[in-house]
mmCIF file of all heavy atoms in Angstrom:
data_model
loop_
_atom_site.group_PDB
_atom_site.id
_atom_site.type_symbol
_atom_site.label_atom_id
_atom_site.label_comp_id
_atom_site.label_asym_id
_atom_site.label_seq_id
_atom_site.Cartn_x
_atom_site.Cartn_y
_atom_site.Cartn_z
ATOM 1 N N ALA O 1 -9.404 9.024 18.098
ATOM 2 C CA ALA O 1 -8.152 9.540 18.697
ATOM 3 C C ALA O 1 -6.948 9.079 17.856
ATOM 4 O O ALA O 1 -6.061 9.873 17.536
ATOM 5 C CB ALA O 1 -8.003 9.054 20.144
ATOM 6 N N TYR O 2 -6.956 7.797 17.472
ATOM 7 C CA TYR O 2 -5.879 7.274 16.637
ATOM 8 C C TYR O 2 -5.815 8.004 15.303
ATOM 9 O O TYR O 2 -4.735 8.399 14.863
ATOM 10 C CB TYR O 2 -6.049 5.769 16.422
ATOM 11 C CG TYR O 2 -4.980 5.184 15.543
ATOM 12 C CD1 TYR O 2 -3.668 5.044 16.012
ATOM 13 C CD2 TYR O 2 -5.261 4.802 14.250
ATOM 14 C CE1 TYR O 2 -2.675 4.527 15.189
ATOM 15 C CE2 TYR O 2 -4.272 4.299 13.426
ATOM 16 C CZ TYR O 2 -2.981 4.171 13.890
ATOM 17 O OH TYR O 2 -1.997 3.673 13.079
ATOM 18 N N PHE O 3 -6.945 8.162 14.691
ATOM 19 C CA PHE O 3 -6.971 8.822 13.375
ATOM 20 C C PHE O 3 -6.475 10.256 13.466
ATOM 21 O O PHE O 3 -5.722 10.718 12.621
ATOM 22 C CB PHE O 3 -8.379 8.742 12.749
ATOM 23 C CG PHE O 3 -8.395 9.198 11.340
ATOM 24 C CD1 PHE O 3 -7.826 8.429 10.333
ATOM 25 C CD2 PHE O 3 -8.967 10.410 10.993
ATOM 26 C CE1 PHE O 3 -7.813 8.861 9.012
ATOM 27 C CE2 PHE O 3 -8.968 10.845 9.669
ATOM 28 C CZ PHE O 3 -8.384 10.062 8.687
ATOM 29 N N GLY O 4 -6.878 10.973 14.512
ATOM 30 C CA GLY O 4 -6.419 12.341 14.693
ATOM 31 C C GLY O 4 -4.909 12.409 14.884
ATOM 32 O O GLY O 4 -4.230 13.258 14.267
ATOM 33 N N LEU O 5 -4.375 11.525 15.697
ATOM 34 C CA LEU O 5 -2.910 11.453 15.892
ATOM 35 C C LEU O 5 -2.202 11.107 14.600
ATOM 36 O O LEU O 5 -1.142 11.657 14.273
ATOM 37 C CB LEU O 5 -2.553 10.460 16.972
ATOM 38 C CG LEU O 5 -2.873 10.853 18.408
ATOM 39 C CD1 LEU O 5 -2.730 9.643 19.325
ATOM 40 C CD2 LEU O 5 -1.958 11.982 18.843
ATOM 41 N N LEU O 6 -2.791 10.186 13.839
ATOM 42 C CA LEU O 6 -2.182 9.754 12.584
ATOM 43 C C LEU O 6 -2.134 10.888 11.575
ATOM 44 O O LEU O 6 -1.096 11.110 10.936
ATOM 45 C CB LEU O 6 -2.994 8.569 12.018
ATOM 46 C CG LEU O 6 -2.531 8.019 10.686
ATOM 47 C CD1 LEU O 6 -1.070 7.586 10.735
ATOM 48 C CD2 LEU O 6 -3.442 6.862 10.298
ATOM 49 N N VAL O 7 -3.225 11.625 11.454
ATOM 50 C CA VAL O 7 -3.238 12.762 10.541
ATOM 51 C C VAL O 7 -2.251 13.834 10.999
ATOM 52 O O VAL O 7 -1.482 14.369 10.172
ATOM 53 C CB VAL O 7 -4.675 13.346 10.402
ATOM 54 C CG1 VAL O 7 -4.668 14.673 9.666
ATOM 55 C CG2 VAL O 7 -5.571 12.344 9.682
ATOM 56 N N ALA O 8 -2.193 14.106 12.273
ATOM 57 C CA ALA O 8 -1.238 15.090 12.793
ATOM 58 C C ALA O 8 0.187 14.664 12.522
ATOM 59 O O ALA O 8 1.033 15.483 12.124
ATOM 60 C CB ALA O 8 -1.449 15.300 14.297
ATOM 61 N N THR O 9 0.478 13.388 12.717
ATOM 62 C CA THR O 9 1.824 12.879 12.444
ATOM 63 C C THR O 9 2.170 12.995 10.974
ATOM 64 O O THR O 9 3.282 13.403 10.609
ATOM 65 C CB THR O 9 1.930 11.413 12.904
ATOM 66 O OG1 THR O 9 1.641 11.326 14.310
ATOM 67 C CG2 THR O 9 3.314 10.833 12.646
ATOM 68 N N THR O 10 1.226 12.664 10.109
ATOM 69 C CA THR O 10 1.462 12.740 8.655
ATOM 70 C C THR O 10 1.690 14.196 8.222
ATOM 71 O O THR O 10 2.599 14.461 7.433
ATOM 72 C CB THR O 10 0.273 12.145 7.887
ATOM 73 O OG1 THR O 10 0.084 10.782 8.325
ATOM 74 C CG2 THR O 10 0.496 12.154 6.393
ATOM 75 N N VAL O 11 0.940 15.126 8.781
ATOM 76 C CA VAL O 11 1.152 16.528 8.473
ATOM 77 C C VAL O 11 2.526 16.965 8.986
ATOM 78 O O VAL O 11 3.238 17.727 8.306
ATOM 79 C CB VAL O 11 0.030 17.399 9.070
ATOM 80 C CG1 VAL O 11 0.358 18.878 9.014
ATOM 81 C CG2 VAL O 11 -1.291 17.128 8.363
ATOM 82 N N ALA O 12 2.931 16.492 10.134
ATOM 83 C CA ALA O 12 4.259 16.817 10.669
ATOM 84 C C ALA O 12 5.353 16.277 9.729
ATOM 85 O O ALA O 12 6.349 16.957 9.474
ATOM 86 C CB ALA O 12 4.447 16.248 12.071
ATOM 87 N N PHE O 13 5.133 15.073 9.185
ATOM 88 C CA PHE O 13 6.110 14.522 8.239
ATOM 89 C C PHE O 13 6.212 15.395 7.011
ATOM 90 O O PHE O 13 7.288 15.638 6.485
ATOM 91 C CB PHE O 13 5.724 13.088 7.825
ATOM 92 C CG PHE O 13 5.876 12.046 8.885
ATOM 93 C CD1 PHE O 13 5.128 10.862 8.844
ATOM 94 C CD2 PHE O 13 6.765 12.200 9.937
ATOM 95 C CE1 PHE O 13 5.271 9.888 9.793
ATOM 96 C CE2 PHE O 13 6.929 11.229 10.904
ATOM 97 C CZ PHE O 13 6.175 10.057 10.836
ATOM 98 N N LEU O 14 5.069 15.914 6.556
ATOM 99 C CA LEU O 14 5.078 16.839 5.427
ATOM 100 C C LEU O 14 5.840 18.117 5.775
ATOM 101 O O LEU O 14 6.616 18.638 4.966
ATOM 102 C CB LEU O 14 3.651 17.196 5.010
ATOM 103 C CG LEU O 14 2.858 16.127 4.256
ATOM 104 C CD1 LEU O 14 1.393 16.505 4.186
ATOM 105 C CD2 LEU O 14 3.439 15.903 2.866
ATOM 106 N N ALA O 15 5.603 18.624 6.971
ATOM 107 C CA ALA O 15 6.219 19.893 7.387
ATOM 108 C C ALA O 15 7.730 19.805 7.464
ATOM 109 O O ALA O 15 8.413 20.783 7.170
ATOM 110 C CB ALA O 15 5.675 20.305 8.750
ATOM 111 N N VAL O 16 8.264 18.640 7.820
ATOM 112 C CA VAL O 16 9.715 18.514 7.928
ATOM 113 C C VAL O 16 10.319 17.905 6.673
ATOM 114 O O VAL O 16 11.521 17.576 6.654
ATOM 115 C CB VAL O 16 10.132 17.675 9.168
ATOM 116 C CG1 VAL O 16 9.685 18.349 10.438
ATOM 117 C CG2 VAL O 16 9.641 16.250 9.075
ATOM 118 N N ARG O 17 9.505 17.765 5.635
ATOM 119 C CA ARG O 17 9.954 17.213 4.352
ATOM 120 C C ARG O 17 10.592 15.821 4.550
ATOM 121 O O ARG O 17 11.741 15.602 4.157
ATOM 122 C CB ARG O 17 10.905 18.175 3.655
ATOM 123 C CG ARG O 17 10.208 19.451 3.239
ATOM 124 C CD ARG O 17 11.114 20.272 2.320
ATOM 125 N NE ARG O 17 10.345 21.361 1.775
ATOM 126 C CZ ARG O 17 10.495 22.643 2.157
ATOM 127 N NH1 ARG O 17 11.382 22.953 3.087
ATOM 128 N NH2 ARG O 17 9.759 23.578 1.605
ATOM 129 N N ALA O 18 9.834 14.962 5.168
ATOM 130 C CA ALA O 18 10.277 13.617 5.412
ATOM 131 C C ALA O 18 10.527 12.892 4.088
ATOM 132 O O ALA O 18 9.975 13.284 3.045
ATOM 133 C CB ALA O 18 9.232 12.851 6.225
ATOM 134 N N PRO O 19 11.331 11.825 4.111
ATOM 135 C CA PRO O 19 11.572 11.092 2.890
ATOM 136 C C PRO O 19 10.284 10.548 2.268
ATOM 137 O O PRO O 19 9.311 10.257 2.958
ATOM 138 C CB PRO O 19 12.453 9.907 3.350
ATOM 139 C CG PRO O 19 13.063 10.372 4.622
ATOM 140 C CD PRO O 19 12.057 11.306 5.251
ATOM 141 N N ARG O 20 10.325 10.438 0.951
ATOM 142 C CA ARG O 20 9.128 10.015 0.197
ATOM 143 C C ARG O 20 8.571 8.684 0.686
ATOM 144 O O ARG O 20 7.373 8.517 0.821
ATOM 145 C CB ARG O 20 9.458 9.951 -1.301
ATOM 146 C CG ARG O 20 8.313 9.478 -2.151
ATOM 147 C CD ARG O 20 8.584 9.649 -3.635
ATOM 148 N NE ARG O 20 7.691 8.925 -4.483
ATOM 149 C CZ ARG O 20 6.383 9.137 -4.605
ATOM 150 N NH1 ARG O 20 5.833 10.087 -3.914
ATOM 151 N NH2 ARG O 20 5.648 8.410 -5.426
ATOM 152 N N ARG O 21 9.439 7.722 0.970
ATOM 153 C CA ARG O 21 8.939 6.409 1.393
ATOM 154 C C ARG O 21 8.143 6.506 2.705
ATOM 155 O O ARG O 21 7.175 5.787 2.906
ATOM 156 C CB ARG O 21 10.057 5.397 1.498
ATOM 157 C CG ARG O 21 11.004 5.609 2.668
ATOM 158 C CD ARG O 21 12.193 4.643 2.613
ATOM 159 N NE ARG O 21 13.133 5.033 3.635
ATOM 160 C CZ ARG O 21 13.246 4.409 4.820
ATOM 161 N NH1 ARG O 21 12.544 3.352 5.060
ATOM 162 N NH2 ARG O 21 14.105 4.848 5.710
ATOM 163 N N LEU O 22 8.555 7.393 3.580
ATOM 164 C CA LEU O 22 7.835 7.589 4.845
ATOM 165 C C LEU O 22 6.483 8.257 4.572
ATOM 166 O O LEU O 22 5.479 7.853 5.143
ATOM 167 C CB LEU O 22 8.665 8.430 5.817
ATOM 168 C CG LEU O 22 8.010 8.746 7.169
ATOM 169 C CD1 LEU O 22 7.587 7.487 7.903
ATOM 170 C CD2 LEU O 22 8.987 9.553 8.011
ATOM 171 N N LEU O 23 6.473 9.246 3.719
ATOM 172 C CA LEU O 23 5.190 9.924 3.390
ATOM 173 C C LEU O 23 4.229 8.962 2.716
ATOM 174 O O LEU O 23 3.034 8.944 3.048
ATOM 175 C CB LEU O 23 5.469 11.136 2.485
ATOM 176 C CG LEU O 23 6.162 12.304 3.154
ATOM 177 C CD1 LEU O 23 6.570 13.339 2.133
ATOM 178 C CD2 LEU O 23 5.266 12.911 4.217
ATOM 179 N N VAL O 24 4.725 8.178 1.764
ATOM 180 C CA VAL O 24 3.858 7.209 1.073
ATOM 181 C C VAL O 24 3.274 6.218 2.071
ATOM 182 O O VAL O 24 2.059 5.958 2.081
ATOM 183 C CB VAL O 24 4.622 6.498 -0.056
ATOM 184 C CG1 VAL O 24 3.822 5.308 -0.596
ATOM 185 C CG2 VAL O 24 4.937 7.488 -1.191
ATOM 186 N N ARG O 25 4.109 5.665 2.908
ATOM 187 C CA ARG O 25 3.617 4.695 3.905
ATOM 188 C C ARG O 25 2.613 5.339 4.867
ATOM 189 O O ARG O 25 1.633 4.718 5.249
ATOM 190 C CB ARG O 25 4.778 4.108 4.671
ATOM 191 C CG ARG O 25 5.632 3.164 3.857
ATOM 192 C CD ARG O 25 6.776 2.603 4.656
ATOM 193 N NE ARG O 25 7.650 1.830 3.791
ATOM 194 C CZ ARG O 25 8.628 1.055 4.227
ATOM 195 N NH1 ARG O 25 8.841 0.976 5.534
ATOM 196 N NH2 ARG O 25 9.371 0.395 3.406
ATOM 197 N N SER O 26 2.863 6.577 5.232
ATOM 198 C CA SER O 26 1.969 7.262 6.140
ATOM 199 C C SER O 26 0.584 7.495 5.480
ATOM 200 O O SER O 26 -0.439 7.283 6.098
ATOM 201 C CB SER O 26 2.592 8.601 6.584
ATOM 202 O OG SER O 26 1.911 9.119 7.653
ATOM 203 N N TRP O 27 0.602 7.918 4.234
ATOM 204 C CA TRP O 27 -0.688 8.121 3.519
ATOM 205 C C TRP O 27 -1.405 6.807 3.307
ATOM 206 O O TRP O 27 -2.635 6.732 3.381
ATOM 207 C CB TRP O 27 -0.463 8.850 2.203
ATOM 208 C CG TRP O 27 -0.231 10.314 2.394
ATOM 209 C CD1 TRP O 27 0.897 11.011 2.088
ATOM 210 C CD2 TRP O 27 -1.120 11.288 2.982
ATOM 211 N NE1 TRP O 27 0.746 12.324 2.441
ATOM 212 C CE2 TRP O 27 -0.473 12.515 2.993
ATOM 213 C CE3 TRP O 27 -2.408 11.192 3.517
ATOM 214 C CZ2 TRP O 27 -1.046 13.677 3.481
ATOM 215 C CZ3 TRP O 27 -3.000 12.341 4.021
ATOM 216 C CH2 TRP O 27 -2.325 13.570 4.009
ATOM 217 N N VAL O 28 -0.659 5.732 3.024
ATOM 218 C CA VAL O 28 -1.291 4.404 2.893
ATOM 219 C C VAL O 28 -1.944 4.030 4.216
ATOM 220 O O VAL O 28 -3.089 3.541 4.241
ATOM 221 C CB VAL O 28 -0.276 3.333 2.470
ATOM 222 C CG1 VAL O 28 -0.846 1.922 2.598
ATOM 223 C CG2 VAL O 28 0.169 3.586 1.025
ATOM 224 N N LEU O 29 -1.282 4.304 5.324
ATOM 225 C CA LEU O 29 -1.876 4.026 6.655
ATOM 226 C C LEU O 29 -3.145 4.855 6.887
ATOM 227 O O LEU O 29 -4.116 4.341 7.437
ATOM 228 C CB LEU O 29 -0.847 4.263 7.761
ATOM 229 C CG LEU O 29 -1.302 4.003 9.187
ATOM 230 C CD1 LEU O 29 -1.828 2.583 9.357
ATOM 231 C CD2 LEU O 29 -0.179 4.295 10.158
ATOM 232 N N VAL O 30 -3.151 6.096 6.463
ATOM 233 C CA VAL O 30 -4.370 6.919 6.573
ATOM 234 C C VAL O 30 -5.494 6.224 5.788
ATOM 235 O O VAL O 30 -6.617 6.099 6.314
ATOM 236 C CB VAL O 30 -4.133 8.358 6.078
ATOM 237 C CG1 VAL O 30 -5.424 9.107 5.897
ATOM 238 C CG2 VAL O 30 -3.182 9.094 7.018
ATOM 239 N N GLY O 31 -5.203 5.766 4.580
ATOM 240 C CA GLY O 31 -6.230 5.105 3.766
ATOM 241 C C GLY O 31 -6.727 3.810 4.386
ATOM 242 O O GLY O 31 -7.933 3.541 4.433
ATOM 243 N N VAL O 32 -5.802 2.997 4.890
ATOM 244 C CA VAL O 32 -6.175 1.735 5.524
ATOM 245 C C VAL O 32 -7.021 1.995 6.764
ATOM 246 O O VAL O 32 -8.026 1.312 7.013
ATOM 247 C CB VAL O 32 -4.918 0.905 5.871
ATOM 248 C CG1 VAL O 32 -5.245 -0.266 6.780
ATOM 249 C CG2 VAL O 32 -4.225 0.400 4.603
ATOM 250 N N THR O 33 -6.654 3.023 7.511
ATOM 251 C CA THR O 33 -7.399 3.362 8.732
ATOM 252 C C THR O 33 -8.817 3.841 8.381
ATOM 253 O O THR O 33 -9.785 3.443 9.046
ATOM 254 C CB THR O 33 -6.645 4.443 9.518
ATOM 255 O OG1 THR O 33 -5.334 3.962 9.843
ATOM 256 C CG2 THR O 33 -7.363 4.770 10.832
ATOM 257 N N LEU O 34 -8.948 4.646 7.340
ATOM 258 C CA LEU O 34 -10.281 5.072 6.925
ATOM 259 C C LEU O 34 -11.113 3.892 6.480
ATOM 260 O O LEU O 34 -12.305 3.785 6.831
ATOM 261 C CB LEU O 34 -10.165 6.091 5.772
ATOM 262 C CG LEU O 34 -9.797 7.504 6.171
ATOM 263 C CD1 LEU O 34 -9.512 8.367 4.928
ATOM 264 C CD2 LEU O 34 -10.887 8.143 7.020
ATOM 265 N N ALA O 35 -10.508 2.990 5.691
ATOM 266 C CA ALA O 35 -11.245 1.805 5.242
ATOM 267 C C ALA O 35 -11.673 0.932 6.410
ATOM 268 O O ALA O 35 -12.822 0.453 6.470
ATOM 269 C CB ALA O 35 -10.374 0.985 4.277
ATOM 270 N N GLN O 36 -10.803 0.750 7.367
ATOM 271 C CA GLN O 36 -11.102 -0.072 8.539
ATOM 272 C C GLN O 36 -12.237 0.568 9.355
ATOM 273 O O GLN O 36 -13.112 -0.131 9.842
ATOM 274 C CB GLN O 36 -9.826 -0.241 9.395
ATOM 275 C CG GLN O 36 -9.994 -1.048 10.610
ATOM 276 C CD GLN O 36 -10.278 -2.532 10.364
ATOM 277 O OE1 GLN O 36 -10.688 -2.942 9.307
ATOM 278 N NE2 GLN O 36 -10.107 -3.317 11.416
ATOM 279 N N GLY O 37 -12.182 1.881 9.510
ATOM 280 C CA GLY O 37 -13.241 2.585 10.230
ATOM 281 C C GLY O 37 -14.607 2.442 9.510
ATOM 282 O O GLY O 37 -15.621 2.241 10.151
ATOM 283 N N LEU O 38 -14.566 2.534 8.190
ATOM 284 C CA LEU O 38 -15.798 2.371 7.406
ATOM 285 C C LEU O 38 -16.360 0.969 7.570
ATOM 286 O O LEU O 38 -17.586 0.793 7.748
ATOM 287 C CB LEU O 38 -15.526 2.686 5.931
ATOM 288 C CG LEU O 38 -16.723 2.588 4.989
ATOM 289 C CD1 LEU O 38 -17.808 3.598 5.401
ATOM 290 C CD2 LEU O 38 -16.291 2.815 3.566
ATOM 291 N N ILE O 39 -15.519 -0.038 7.510
ATOM 292 C CA ILE O 39 -15.979 -1.413 7.707
ATOM 293 C C ILE O 39 -16.604 -1.550 9.091
ATOM 294 O O ILE O 39 -17.675 -2.160 9.222
ATOM 295 C CB ILE O 39 -14.812 -2.416 7.553
ATOM 296 C CG1 ILE O 39 -14.332 -2.465 6.099
ATOM 297 C CG2 ILE O 39 -15.239 -3.823 7.999
ATOM 298 C CD1 ILE O 39 -13.005 -3.188 5.909
#
């Protein structure tokens, strides 16, 4: 559920052309979440 919400939020940030620092942090969070799930 968290990962789905996170991906949806990141896509929304892309859709509204959010600032680069927000997009970078959001994508890093997606990566950290995937790594944590794999562990």
Side-chain angles (χ1 to χ4, degrees):
Y2 178 72
F3 189 71
L5 287 168
L6 177 58
V7 169
T9 301
T10 302
V11 169
F13 289 156
L14 286 168
V16 298
R17 294 190 171 108
R20 178 170 165 65
R21 71 186 173 102
L22 178 56
L23 290 171
V24 168
R25 289 179 186 190
S26 194
W27 284 116
V28 168
L29 180 56
V30 168
V32 168
T33 303
L34 283 172
Q36 180 68 342
L38 180 62
I39 292 168

